[in-house]
Amino acid sequence: MSGGRHAVPVDVHLLAVREGKNGSEVLLSRRAGGVYAAGLWHLPSGHVDGPFENVVTALVRETAEETGLVVDPADVRAAVTVHHRAPSGSARIGILFEVRRWSGTPEIREPDVCDGMDWFPFDVLPDPMVAYCRAGLDAYRAGAGVALHFQEPDDPIGYDCDPALDRLRLVPGIGAGAGAAERGPGAAVKGFAERAVGRVAAWTDVSWARENSRVWQARGAAGGTWFVKVHQNEEFHRREVAALRGWVPGLGGAGPRLVAADPESRAIVVTAVEGRPLHGMVLTGAEERSVFEAIGALAARVHASPLTLHEVAGDGAPAGPYDRMERRLEAARALLEPGDEERVRAAVATAQASGPLAPVMTHGDLQLRNLLLGADGTVRVIDFARSEPQPGVRDFVRFLDRFEEREDLAAAFFTGYGRRPTPAEEAHLVAGAALDAVSGIAFGTRTGDPELVERGRRTLARLATGSVRPGALRPACTLPRPGVPHPAGTLPPAHGAEPIALAPSSTDTRRDRDGHLPAAALPSKAAPVSAPPPAGILVRACAVITNADELCLIHRRRPTGDQYSLPGGLRHLGESTTDALVRELAEELGFDALKTPEPPVLRWVQYQRTTRPRTPGLFERLHLVHTLTVPDSDRALIATTEQDADDGARVVWIPVGQAAGLHLYPAVGAVLTGLSGPPDEPVELPAMVDGTYVWR
């Protein structure tokens, strides 16, 4: 042994990655002052502080100190480790950690050593850049876990594209070399994938730990990430390809894009979907409710997709929901408890007696394992091998277990979906859950998936006590709940659908960490309205905007008299009520309600069912009326004419006492005087019906 132990410093480097307009982007900072490599771009980084600080803690600390970003240690992912030797001969170990989720906005926090900070696409990195940093980024893009970067004494500190100065050497991982045949796809699939996306530098097996799951992450030699999947049979391949070519593009980026499909090998290449799997993710109660509302809205969008029967089912019709019952029971019979089979058959018989349900396009395997939560809070979906036209309740089945434990999640889900299941749908939901439990017990036992087995046993145990239908699905009140607006019209409610009560609205309506307002909602204790409408009406979010003692209104002159409207409009598909309000105020008034000192607060709920001049039939709305107080500085930013109308409607400010006596839409005049702090819960106002309200 020579001279004693060799010790080197350990660096931690932040790989903050986000999705930009032209692909993935990385955050870089420019070194300045008297530090090493001043004037060169580098990853935010620093040293581990002594023997008592671990590398993840150091990364979180250095990130906050240099950029102001707050990173949860649970969101830190090991990317690549680089053993580096500088031209001076000094060596170090650099560990790059990928982070795709954080709080805050990056900013220069140490101006004495940093004079620039910005986002850069991976394929358009800035110049000049520290060669050590560029080597780490190149190794990361190649999918390497470990890399060597030993520079020679005359090498420049800054990166030089001259191949003679390329000192990066990737250390093969266990998935390369002799083990590649077992860990990567076969030669035929590799060749198909590389013909589609170019040379692949690294393959990572990301299959589920169960039989017949064959999925790989492919990192391109020139950058980019894709997923390659080989289906276990032709039916699954046909279904997923039909979904990816048919209705998934209509989700507007909430799913992957099909790059290529090969029917001979039953393989597909799809783009990567940004986000982390919701399965196993630890969230706060409020975050879970927000996520489940988004999942419900996503399910509604899937079910509103056009049916593609011929693409999905080939020459035959799709199987009925109970066609495979006997096969499922046979596979699980030896694993069932006494009485389970009889109860499953009884549940199916009850569902069949309630009548068939109309098919819609379904995902077929909608569960947390197939849902991703992006850094921006967007929920995205993957894996469409079981997609086919079936009753929509098929996509509720694998959440029923969660709904039993958390009724607030059920309420959030069906708020996002737009309506509750009908009694017939509930009967089919119970039957579907029972059969899914039977299949889960058999499949989970065979493949070693204990969670799947236990979920099935819990469902069958609840079936024995008659509690499969959770309390959150029962009607909580008689307030009408609208269907989900859709660009082509509205998502029609199923016949007999129950009204839905939205989750209770908190009096703390501060913005969340991403800068979005929490979704406003109806209280569960609200009183019933007279003559409750069908469940398919639309939600209109509007606001009582006050400044000093004046109220902001939109004024229109009608042949029958003046009409004054509260600013606002209809909620769009997948929007929370408050996000819809913020959007409408921006469109109508040119005003950003997110920047006000206090956010809008839901205060009143009013149902409208009236006739309208020169319009046949009934005109129905559910008005969610918010209050918002703005300072003089914000009032000056509000437009004087309605921005998204072509009739020259004026935006006016009228004393609140005077406004209370005007013809207002909606009819809130009686409650405008004496405004004080918001109530604990929103208050329901008398309904607008013919005889109490006349359109002008």
Side-chain angles (χ1 to χ4, degrees), residues 237-261:
H237 179 75
R238 184 171 59 246
R239 290 184 186 181
E240 183 146 25
V241 170
L244 290 168
R245 287 176 177 167
W247 59 266
V248 175
L251 298 182
R257 176 175 57 83
L258 180 65
V259 177

Side-chain angles (χ1 to χ4, degrees), residues 343-479:
R343 284 186 284 271
V344 170
R345 291 184 181 277
V348 171
T350 299
Q352 291 174 323
S354 69
L357 301 177
V360 298
M361 188 55 69
T362 64
H363 177 273
D365 193 17
L366 200 64
Q367 57 176 314
L368 296 184
R369 288 181 175 181
N370 292 324
L371 292 163
L372 308 178
L373 182 62
D376 60 355
T378 300
V379 173
R380 299 177 174 90
V381 63
I382 59 173
D383 194 354
F384 307 93
R386 290 173 171 79
S387 170
E388 63 177 338
Q390 288 288 350
V393 293
R394 179 188 187 189
D395 282 339
F396 306 161
V397 163
R398 293 184 177 172
F399 295 116
L400 206 54
D401 188 63
R402 295 294 300 274
F403 294 166
E404 174 68 19
E405 300 168 355
R406 294 278 304 278
E407 294 186 359
D408 61 325
L409 298 186
F413 179 92
F414 288 108
T415 293
Y417 189 71
R419 63 173 180 83
R420 295 180 180 280
T422 67
E425 285 175 324
E426 286 194 7
H428 285 276
L429 178 56
V430 171
L435 285 175
D436 186 71
V438 168
S439 297
I441 291 171
F443 185 76
T445 300
R446 186 175 74 249
T447 59
D449 190 333
E451 181 189 17
L452 196 57
V453 174
E454 189 57 33
R455 185 176 71 189
R457 296 201 183 283
R458 284 197 302 268
T459 298
L460 293 184
R462 289 198 299 271
L463 187 66
T465 61
S467 61
V468 171
R469 177 180 184 245
L473 294 186
R474 301 184 182 107
C477 70
T478 56
L479 270 174

Side-chain angles (χ1 to χ4, degrees), residues 270-634:
V270 297
T271 57
V273 177
E274 193 274 324
R276 293 171 52 199
L278 279 165
H279 179 69
M281 187 179 291
V282 178
L283 301 171
T284 67
E287 288 174 333
E288 283 185 293
R289 288 188 289 273
S290 176
V291 164
F292 268 81
E293 183 173 350
I295 295 172
L298 183 60
R301 294 167 66 188
V302 172
H303 296 172
S305 301
L307 294 175
T308 54
L309 291 170
H310 65 285
E311 293 183 43
V312 177
D315 296 331
Y322 310 116
D323 289 357
R324 302 185 181 98
M325 179 178 70
E326 296 299 335
R327 190 174 69 185
R328 294 183 180 187
L329 288 170
E330 177 63 28
R333 187 167 285 122
L335 303 171
L336 300 180
E337 299 293 329
D340 280 347
E341 181 173 345
E342 291 75 13
R343 284 186 284 271
V344 170
R345 291 184 181 277
V348 171
T350 299
Q352 291 174 323
S354 69
L357 301 177
V360 298
M361 188 55 69
T362 64
H363 177 273
D365 193 17
L366 200 64
Q367 57 176 314
L368 296 184
R369 288 181 175 181
N370 292 324
L371 292 163
L372 308 178
L373 182 62
D376 60 355
T378 300
V379 173
R380 299 177 174 90
V381 63
I382 59 173
D383 194 354
F384 307 93
R386 290 173 171 79
S387 170
E388 63 177 338
Q390 288 288 350
V393 293
R394 179 188 187 189
D395 282 339
F396 306 161
V397 163
R398 293 184 177 172
F399 295 116
L400 206 54
D401 188 63
R402 295 294 300 274
F403 294 166
E404 174 68 19
E405 300 168 355
R406 294 278 304 278
E407 294 186 359
D408 61 325
L409 298 186
F413 179 92
F414 288 108
T415 293
Y417 189 71
R419 63 173 180 83
R420 295 180 180 280
T422 67
E425 285 175 324
E426 286 194 7
H428 285 276
L429 178 56
V430 171
L435 285 175
D436 186 71
V438 168
S439 297
I441 291 171
F443 185 76
T445 300
R446 186 175 74 249
T447 59
D449 190 333
E451 181 189 17
L452 196 57
V453 174
E454 189 57 33
R455 185 176 71 189
R457 296 201 183 283
R458 284 197 302 268
T459 298
L460 293 184
R462 289 198 299 271
L463 187 66
T465 61
S467 61
V468 171
R469 177 180 184 245
L473 294 186
R474 301 184 182 107
C477 70
T478 56
L479 270 174
R481 176 67 172 97
V484 180
H486 187 271
T490 61
L491 181 68
H495 178 70
E498 292 176 350
I500 186 169
L502 282 68
S505 176
S506 169
T507 55
D508 178 10
T509 55
R510 293 171 295 180
R511 296 174 178 83
D512 64 22
R513 64 185 183 185
D514 293 322
H516 297 296
L517 294 171
L522 301 183
S524 58
K525 299 180 181 178
V529 299
S530 58
I537 64 171
L538 303 178
V539 164
R540 183 178 186 271
C542 54
V544 173
I545 303 175
T546 56
N547 167 255
D549 190 37
E550 291 189 320
L551 171 64
C552 180
L553 296 170
I554 296 175
H555 177 208
R556 283 184 171 83
R557 298 188 181 276
R558 305 289 194 192
T560 54
D562 290 353
Q563 178 175 299
Y564 295 84
S565 302
L566 298 181
L570 296 180
R571 191 184 73 175
H572 288 179
L573 175 65
E575 280 188 318
S576 72
T577 302
T578 312
D579 282 346
L581 177 66
V582 170
R583 175 184 53 75
E584 285 288 343
L585 295 184
E587 291 174 356
E588 291 188 353
L589 306 180
F591 175 64
D592 187 357
L594 288 174
K595 295 182 178 179
T596 57
E598 294 295 331
V601 175
L602 178 63
R603 181 155 186 154
W604 299 295
V605 179
Q606 188 170 48
Y607 164 50
Q608 174 188 3
R609 192 183 192 193
T610 65
T611 56
R612 186 175 182 180
R614 297 174 298 281
T615 303
L618 291 174
F619 188 85
E620 296 184 283
R621 294 287 186 269
L622 186 67
H623 300 275
L624 304 184
V625 186
H626 301 68
T627 53
L628 175 63
T629 301
V630 299
D632 293 342
S633 56
D634 284 347

